[in-house]
Amino acid sequence: MSELTLVRHPAVTEAPPARRVLIGLAFATLALFVFAPLAVVFAEALAKGAGAALQSLASPDARAAIRLTLTVAAIAVPVNAAFGIAAAWFLTKFDFPGKAFLITLIDLPFSVSPVVAGLCLVLLFGANATLGGWLVASGHPVIFALPGIVLATLFVTFPFVARELIPVMVEQGRAEEEAALTLGAGGWRVFRTVTLPNIRWALLYGVLLANARAMGEFGAVAVVSGKIRGQTATMPITIEMMYNEYLSVSAFSLAACLSALALLTLLVKTLLERLHARRTQG
Amino acid sequence: MREPLIHSSPMPGLGLSMGITLTMLSLVVLAPIGALVAQGAVMGPEALWAAVSRPRVLAALGLSFRLAFFAATVNLVLGTLLAWVLARYRFAGRRLLDAAVDLPFALPTAVAGIALTALYAPSGPFGAVAAGFGAKIAYTQGGIFLALMFVGLPFVARSVQPVIEEIEREVEEASATLGASRLTTLTRVIWPMLMPAALTGFALALARAVGEYGSVIFIAGNIPMRTEIAPLLIVIELEEFDYKGAAAIGLAMLAISFAMLLAINLVQIWSRRRIGDV
Amino acid sequence: MHIDIDEIAKEFGPTTALHPVSLAIPSGALVALLGPSGSGKTTLLRILGGLEFPSSGRVLFDGQDATGLSVQERRAGFVFQSYALFRHMTVFENIAYGLKARPRATRPPKAEIARRVTKLLDLIQLPQIAQRYPSQLSGGQRQRVALARALAIEPRMLLLDEPFGALDAKVRKELRQGLRDIHDETGLTTVFVTHDQEEAMELADLVVVMSMGRIEQIGRPQDIRAHPSTPFVKSFIAA
């Protein structure tokens, strides 16, 4: 293949040795930063055999953590998907002033440290704050409880789905929706039969990314969770606690679960991109 | 027949989509950030400055921003290189490499943190090699730098790659026919076209690195004044119930981040204007 | 159905797309809105179809005020410039869409929908492409499918935005005759937008020349050719 490129564009490619060096550098960078860390997670998890790894995952703390993380993701991800769809619809189907500013606000969580996000939630909902104090007094604590963890997760994953959908919907324009309207279709039907089929892959990818981040979020959750073992300790928090207690196999076994999720996310992404490439060619 | 209505658009769902968007934005993002800003307003500039100007806080802020800037700069180079290799060359394993670039996006930061520590601690495989040369990586600023490079790696590559794919070969051929060497073409023709996207990636990597917590705290050693990052100091102050101190550091981080992003935006506008929209 | 446009104006923020314009379209006419880009012709067509709402003025269908009718209630068969075929549906599903979208009470049964789609495919002389996807069709075929899809809802009028704009010269000539035939067969009041004066003159019964958001002249093709009423019309039809 590289010979072909060379023949077709003799003037505009680097000399073969330079190319080899650059490709080598790319592999070296990723080996050092991506492949080695992944390998070490699985190696440490299996350091005392698969049985020990599985046993550690069955411990009460690990099971509680897995359950909590799944619960949080099951709430936060659909909520963010609904938000992402609504925001993308609002931003791409209507014209109004201040659109760029609104997009900036939606992107804001990208430039705020997760720890600062957690801090913000503590200042709003903590027992010392007006609103937080009232909520605690009425028996609905947010901080050091599930709602706080969900809110922190919502904050850090906020732009994910909207970011994936907006470019796709801008590219597809409004004509198909308008055509459906002229044919007599109502709003929900237009969305369900025309918009959704066109954005489903982008939606799926956005949901996957949001899910990976929701299950893996550490900084923001660490601040608001209170790290109560078996109650408010998510998988990443439990990994930290186990690691600090030198329970290496347990920590890395949980880490291996999250790594597998990350790998699955990337696999699906790669498959989706290949599907998309084939479609645009066809 | 209905009374004539004043529609701005016949597209359905204006009220619903606007309602959900603005409500969620307010509840999830704006109200919490507003609480932080309000806390700062209550404290006043003098108390804020007193909280931020403590030596330990200044050291932590300085460390966070300095290392984040270095890591983002290295990522600017490495990310552009990765994007070039992935967009231009065809070789065995390219697909694997392409997918791997995104791993730092998908891998939880705590997992990255313990994995990097296991690798680069003196007892780990890479750390042992470094120790052979008398160098120490984990539990030093070098370890923090490594973790920040890891989390920022995909940003520049993913911003630049689509731009490289869209550059017309004819531009490079034109440069070559005019007698430019390959190196001249790359630095004078290609790089200016990539710069706005590269800067976008740089800004994203920088913002991410400044606030990074999970992947850093395991490898950092967390020694006050030496290897203690600003987000960790916020966590410590919160654990000591010093909400004002934590809020002051949080506000300082927000303010410095926004000032830096604004500066990068200005550079971007300047470079876009110089070369036009590519 | 005859259409009356009564002092319709449209502003997009600070820019005026249409100054108040008035126009009477007789029932069964084939009308061309002719003008350069930015003349307001597409905006006027979209206002007729209910895809834009005028800043002021009224639209009357058969003497009834239709200004506040929603796009669904207008039942205007609209053919988009890019055709806007649903790319994830087959030709059959595209044409059947409007019938399936009807409320249960007026929705024809499945077999009736299939019969009507087949009949429309015959009308556009493409009986064999029902199971193809839009990406598998030529430009001319797409245009005809878009026309069939618009006709499927038994529209009260037919609105076409640059219906021949995306086609090469030979196909364009063929499809012009095709549109004329379908118009004559259905008797629908038909309005199409074009920037091509030859196309407007050859095809339309009535030509409306527009420029800068104003109507410059309304008339039969031969009258406009013989007596252009403004310098703009004179230069535009000479081009």
Side-chain angles (χ1 to χ4, degrees):
Chain A
M1 278 287 274
S2 56
E3 276 70 25
L4 193 72
T5 321
L6 192 67
V7 172
R8 268 157 97 203
H9 305 283
V12 293
T13 191
E14 288 71 48
R19 267 188 297 159
R20 257 177 243 131
V21 169
L22 290 178
I23 292 172
L25 268 174
F27 267 110
T29 306
L30 290 174
L32 228 55
F33 280 107
V34 174
F35 299 124
L38 266 181
V40 86
V41 168
F42 289 99
E44 293 279 339
L46 298 172
K48 289 183 183 146
L54 288 175
Q55 210 171 2
S56 75
L57 288 177
S59 74
D61 283 356
R63 279 164 61 183
I66 293 170
R67 204 177 306 125
L68 177 63
T69 290
L70 292 176
T71 308
V72 170
I75 302 170
V77 174
V79 170
N80 257 350
F83 162 77
I85 292 169
W89 184 272
F90 179 47
L91 283 161
T92 61
K93 300 298 177 197
F94 301 99
D95 296 308
F96 53 91
K99 212 180 254 196
F101 182 64
L102 187 59
I103 293 176
T104 308
L105 287 183
I106 291 172
D107 279 344
L108 203 55
F110 276 151
S111 40
V112 174
S113 168
V115 169
V116 174
L119 165 70
C120 291
L121 288 171
V122 170
L123 291 174
L124 186 61
F125 293 110
N128 295 18
T130 321
L131 178 60
W134 178 77
L135 283 169
V136 170
S138 67
H140 300 93
V142 172
I143 301 302
F144 305 153
L146 181 66
I149 301 174
V150 170
L151 278 173
T153 307
L154 280 176
F155 186 101
V156 294
T157 58
F158 198 66
F160 279 85
V161 178
R163 277 246 131 185
E164 292 300 320
L165 293 186
I166 289 170
V168 175
M169 286 170 71
V170 166
E171 192 194 313
Q172 291 181 338
R174 301 174 192 172
E176 284 186 45
E177 280 84 3
E178 288 181 342
L181 290 173
T182 65
L183 296 171
W188 278 116
R189 176 177 283 269
V190 171
F191 176 73
R192 202 163 40 79
T193 61
V194 176
T195 312
L196 199 56
N198 283 333
I199 62 168
R200 61 189 163 185
W201 299 120
L203 179 64
L204 178 62
Y205 181 49
V207 164
L208 275 174
L209 273 184
N211 182 60
R213 183 72 196 266
M215 291 199 175
E217 177 51 29
F218 181 69
V221 173
V223 172
V224 298
S225 86
K227 302 183 183 176
I228 308 163
R229 198 178 289 269
Q231 283 183 42
T232 63
T234 59
M235 284 170 80
I237 302 290
T238 308
I239 290 173
E240 186 204 16
M241 296 196 299
M242 288 171 166
Y243 184 85
N244 288 341
E245 290 159 18
Y246 300 103
L247 299 169
S248 174
V249 168
S250 304
F252 279 100
S253 296
L254 269 183
C257 292
L258 288 175
S259 304
L261 175 74
L263 287 175
L264 181 72
T265 307
L266 293 187
L267 180 72
V268 175
K269 184 205 169 193
T270 309
L271 292 178
L272 289 183
E273 274 173 354
R274 217 179 283 187
L275 188 84
H276 183 73
R278 198 174 309 147
R279 278 196 160 193
T280 41
Q281 278 165 14
Chain B
M1 189 182 287
R2 264 193 279 151
E3 280 293 301
L5 290 170
I6 302 166
H7 296 263
S8 54
S9 160
M11 205 53 92
L14 174 63
L16 185 66
S17 64
M18 182 169 72
I20 293 176
T21 305
L22 298 183
T23 309
M24 286 281 291
L25 183 66
S26 308
L27 279 180
V28 175
V29 177
L30 299 183
I33 291 179
L36 175 63
V37 174
Q39 175 74 42
V42 168
M43 288 170 70
E46 277 171 33
L48 279 175
W49 177 243
V52 171
S53 60
R54 288 173 288 167
R56 187 175 168 187
V57 176
L58 287 180
L61 283 171
L63 181 72
S64 274
F65 281 92
R66 198 169 62 241
L67 288 181
F69 186 81
F70 289 153
T73 307
V74 174
N75 272 332
L76 186 65
V77 178
L78 274 182
T80 308
L81 183 145
L82 275 174
W84 186 263
V85 168
L86 289 173
R88 280 299 172 88
Y89 304 154
R90 295 291 172 271
F91 53 91
R94 191 186 71 96
R95 278 185 188 288
L96 179 71
L97 224 55
D98 198 19
V101 168
D102 278 332
L103 188 86
F105 277 157
L107 196 70
T109 55
V111 175
I114 63 172
L116 289 172
T117 311
L119 283 175
Y120 291 93
S123 57
F126 295 167
V129 174
F133 292 98
K136 197 176 162 198
I137 301 172
Y139 317 123
T140 68
Q141 296 190 358
I144 303 177
F145 173 75
L146 218 58
L148 296 183
M149 259 188 69
F150 173 83
V151 296
L153 189 68
F155 288 99
V156 176
R158 284 298 178 242
S159 304
V160 172
Q161 200 175 337
V163 183
I164 295 178
E165 277 161 4
E166 279 188 6
I167 292 178
E168 286 171 44
R169 294 276 189 168
E170 284 174 14
V171 177
E172 289 165 70
E173 288 176 341
S175 173
T177 60
L178 295 170
S181 72
R182 187 67 189 148
L183 193 64
T184 309
T185 304
L186 285 177
T187 52
R188 292 291 194 76
V189 179
I190 302 293
W191 173 243
M193 292 169 95
L194 301 184
M195 194 153 83
L199 275 176
T200 304
F202 175 81
L204 289 169
L206 182 64
R208 176 69 200 266
V210 164
E212 181 54 26
Y213 176 70
S215 59
V216 175
I217 53 161
F218 296 99
I219 205 171
N222 306 326
I223 304 157
M225 307 297 294
R226 302 241 321 265
T227 56
E228 185 177 64
I229 55 167
L232 175 64
L233 202 49
I234 294 179
V235 173
I236 292 173
E237 308 243 292
L238 279 175
E239 278 168 1
E240 292 166 358
F241 300 105
D242 182 0
Y243 292 121
K244 288 184 176 164
I249 304 171
L251 275 171
M253 284 182 68
L254 273 188
I256 302 173
S257 291
F258 285 144
M260 289 200 316
L261 291 182
L262 188 69
I264 291 168
N265 261 331
L266 291 177
V267 175
Q268 240 173 344
I269 290 168
W270 169 76
S271 71
R272 280 230 166 86
R273 191 174 302 151
R274 208 166 58 108
I275 60 165
D277 258 336
V278 209
Chain C
M1 186 183 68
H2 70 265
I3 303 169
D4 289 291
I5 293 165
D6 179 18
E7 294 287 305
I8 287 282
K10 177 70 182 176
E11 281 126 36
F12 291 106
T15 54
T16 304
L18 281 177
H19 297 281
V21 296
S22 294
L23 174 66
I25 297 171
S27 189
L30 179 53
V31 177
L33 300 179
L34 172 66
S37 62
S39 60
K41 56 192 193 303
T42 295
T43 304
L44 188 57
L45 190 80
R46 288 170 61 86
I47 287 174
L48 283 179
L51 291 169
E52 304 281 354
F53 293 95
S55 309
S56 62
R58 295 187 309 158
V59 178
L60 299 120
F61 293 163
D62 277 338
Q64 296 258 348
D65 191 339
T67 320
L69 282 189
S70 72
V71 50
Q72 292 95 342
E73 290 164 324
R74 296 208 181 194
R75 262 185 43 229
F78 204 107
V79 175
F80 290 78
Q81 185 172 8
S82 59
Y83 315 133
L85 293 176
F86 307 128
R87 66 196 98 176
H88 59 287
M89 297 181 198
T90 61
V91 166
F92 183 96
E93 289 165 336
N94 263 283
I95 297 174
Y97 187 88
L99 295 173
K100 287 186 187 160
R102 284 191 186 169
R104 208 166 288 265
T106 55
R107 191 186 311 158
K110 251 198 175 142
E112 172 65 11
I113 291 179
R115 200 187 60 79
R116 287 205 212 171
V117 172
T118 311
K119 211 176 130 200
L120 284 162
L121 284 169
D122 287 340
L123 181 72
I124 59 168
Q125 296 169 347
L126 292 169
Q128 70 288 17
I129 61 158
Q131 293 315 315
R132 296 227 203 128
Y133 284 89
S135 62
Q136 300 166 313
L137 304 179
S138 71
Q141 289 173 327
R142 284 181 206 178
Q143 194 255 23
R144 284 188 276 170
V145 171
L147 192 58
R149 183 178 70 175
L151 289 169
I153 61 167
E154 299 169 307
R156 298 198 283 178
M157 68 200 123
L158 202 50
L159 307 174
L160 306 97
D161 188 4
E162 295 277 6
F164 312 104
L167 303 170
D168 59 54
K170 184 175 162 283
V171 182
R172 192 181 285 219
K173 285 248 157 70
E174 278 171 31
L175 291 187
R176 255 186 227 172
Q177 192 51 46
L179 178 63
R180 182 82 231 181
D181 291 346
I182 283 172
H183 170 261
D184 294 348
E185 202 168 315
T186 58
L188 283 169
T189 310
T190 302
V191 182
F192 71 98
V193 155
T194 180
H195 64 275
D196 180 341
Q197 55 91 14
E198 187 207 322
E199 189 170 286
M201 297 297 186
E202 194 177 299
L203 196 53
D205 307 325
L206 193 69
V207 175
V208 179
V209 188
M210 297 185 69
S211 164
M212 313 279 284
R214 288 194 173 84
I215 291 177
E216 297 277 334
Q217 189 172 3
I218 305 170
R220 293 185 303 166
Q222 59 270 36
D223 296 342
I224 290 184
R225 246 194 217 115
H227 309 286
S229 66
T230 68
F232 171 82
V233 176
K234 195 170 180 181
S235 69
F236 192 72
I237 61 169

